[in-house]
Amino acid sequence: MKDLHTFGWYAARVSKHLPKEAFNPVPARLLGGLAYLIVVISGFLAIGLFNLPLIVNLGISVIIGMSFAGMGFLGHEILHGTVVRTPWLRDLLGAIAFWPLTTGPQLWRKWHNMTHHVHTQDDEKDPDSWPTLDKISKMKMFRWVYNLPLFVRSTCAFASLAIQFTAHSLKCFGLYIREFQPKKQPKVWLQAILPWATWIGLIFVLGFNNWIFAYLLPLLIANFIVMAYISTNHRLNPLTSVNDPLANSLTVTVPKWVDVLHFNFSYHTEHHLFPAMSSKYYPLVKEHIKEMWPERYHEMPMTKALAALWKTPRLYFNNSELVDPHGNRSIGSLGNGLNPDEIKFKDFNVDVNNLSSLENTFEEIQPKKRTN
């Protein structure tokens, strides 16, 4: 792996080439959120007031789900302080934007801003990092899962994207609630309970069948869209001892109109360099990164990144290797031999039926290349 640098090291060198306005909040982004809110409310009214055909309700569900995802991407921006800076207004608008995804602003800022961004791809401290072979070897249930063929695991993993964001949010609530000061914990609890109370209460307003189309299906769709991005943000990259965004983050490319709808969320390396900058300016940041460090920068089309996730194993070994215990094989991560255009595995000397025996011998296990 090349010499690593902190995000501040890169930011200091890029920032001098950026206009001063790039570091100002952009309140105009709220217009996109207002548009999404109008679409969502209109969808609720259409489903609740009219006896529409099934296919029409399904179409409305897709539109609402896409709007939920768009609101989540805007909420991400808002809670980084790139839209408004006044704390109470930032948290209020962020809470509204994340309401469909049932994530409170205090939890999100603790989990995402203060932990994930500070400890990106640290296997001990980053709540979003994918597990290591070492950790899995100590979990009986997961050892069983990773003995299944990669195709089965990939199919289940992609299907689970439809619930992963909501599930991970609940997990992070349990993980971090005790780290808040006792006097702040009731507020965090309230921010977690109120969205769920709202959406469960909607059942009694719309009826259960209409609620499925108005909220449940859109929530699954929003989860899938959001997690399609989050899964490609870092999971093809290595774990790193230094928080180096050019090593541990991936920018994906999508059509321009998708970037407009998703508030440039695809520019993820840029976001990790400048998390307090509006994503409006990330295309400009990207230009400078590619001029200054073209050999370090990772980007690929979203479809190719998702295909690479499907084809590659999901456990880390020695930070830079992705290991498939079922097939006793491994492949490098981005920057360490992974070529998404041609996935090639090498042999890995692991006893998949006795992973627990590896707990004390990881330093002795070395991948060995396949000989043809």
Side-chain angles (χ1 to χ4, degrees), residues 41-352:
I41 293 173
S42 299
F44 286 174
L45 291 174
I47 291 172
L49 296 177
F50 304 104
N51 187 22
L52 299 171
L54 174 64
I55 189 67
V56 176
N57 276 340
L58 286 173
I60 294 174
S61 289
V62 171
I63 294 171
I64 294 174
M66 293 173 65
S67 299
F68 281 177
M71 291 173 67
F73 294 134
L74 178 60
H76 168 253
E77 278 210 28
I78 291 171
L79 292 175
H80 270 295
T82 68
V83 178
V84 294
R85 294 272 168 82
T86 305
W88 71 265
L89 183 58
R90 174 203 63 205
D91 283 1
L92 174 62
L93 295 172
I96 294 171
F98 268 120
W99 208 270
L101 294 172
T102 64
T103 302
Q106 297 278 341
L107 173 63
W108 178 258
R109 289 174 57 237
K110 168 64 178 175
W111 151 26
H112 181 77
N113 296 17
M114 293 184 279
T115 309
H116 169 66
H117 269 273
V118 175
H119 303 292
T120 308
Q121 287 295 84
D122 182 309
D123 68 314
E124 295 293 335
K125 299 178 181 178
D126 183 1
D128 298 343
S129 69
W130 210 241
T132 63
L133 185 59
D134 190 6
K135 288 183 179 178
I136 290 299
S137 73
K138 302 169 185 176
M139 304 176 185
K140 185 175 181 180
M141 173 61 182
F142 285 96
R143 291 206 305 271
W144 177 83
V145 169
Y146 279 93
N147 273 324
L148 296 172
L150 180 59
F151 175 81
V152 175
R153 279 181 277 130
S154 294
T155 302
C156 294
F158 269 68
S160 73
L161 294 180
I163 62 169
Q164 272 191 30
F165 186 87
T166 300
H168 192 54
S169 180
L170 291 171
K171 175 186 174 182
C172 286
F173 178 85
L175 187 64
Y176 294 118
I177 184 61
R178 293 179 182 84
E179 295 189 16
F180 288 94
Q181 296 177 6
K183 65 180 181 181
K184 291 185 178 180
Q185 287 184 15
K187 184 177 182 180
V188 180
W189 271 101
L190 189 64
Q191 291 175 357
I193 292 171
L194 282 179
W196 283 109
T198 301
W199 301 121
I200 292 173
L202 194 64
I203 296 175
F204 302 98
V205 177
L206 297 178
F208 185 74
N209 288 339
N210 285 339
W211 179 81
I212 290 175
F213 292 107
Y215 182 69
L216 183 58
L217 286 178
L219 178 64
L220 299 178
I221 292 166
N223 264 267
F224 191 92
I225 293 171
V226 170
M227 287 307 304
Y229 279 103
I230 293 176
S231 295
T232 58
N233 289 163
H234 307 286
R235 292 180 183 174
L236 292 171
N237 298 80
L239 301 174
T240 54
S241 58
V242 175
N243 189 358
D244 184 327
L246 269 66
N248 63 29
S249 301
L250 170 67
T251 286
V252 294
T253 55
V254 295
K256 180 62 180 176
W257 63 270
V258 176
D259 269 334
V260 172
L261 291 176
H262 295 167
F263 299 94
N264 282 348
F265 194 79
S266 63
Y267 291 83
H268 205 71
T269 302
E270 295 75 8
H271 173 61
H272 272 260
L273 256 68
F274 294 102
M277 174 186 291
S278 171
S279 63
K280 173 183 176 180
Y281 297 98
Y282 287 164
L284 181 58
V285 173
K286 178 177 180 175
E287 290 179 14
H288 289 295
I289 295 175
K290 294 184 73 171
E291 287 176 5
M292 300 168 78
W293 305 284
E295 75 288 353
R296 290 177 175 262
Y297 185 72
H298 298 296
E299 71 170 327
M300 68 179 75
M302 169 71 92
T303 52
K304 184 180 289 187
L306 289 171
L309 282 174
W310 178 279
K311 295 175 183 177
T312 56
R314 296 287 91 229
L315 292 175
Y316 283 101
F317 177 76
N318 281 350
N319 293 341
S320 60
E321 292 283 321
L322 296 170
V323 179
D324 181 11
H326 178 83
N328 281 344
R329 58 185 186 164
S330 70
I331 194 168
S333 54
L334 286 174
N336 299 277
L338 175 61
N339 179 359
D341 294 316
E342 189 177 6
I343 302 296
K344 287 187 175 181
F345 293 96
K346 55 189 176 183
D347 289 335
F348 192 82
N349 188 20
V350 175
D351 179 3
V352 297

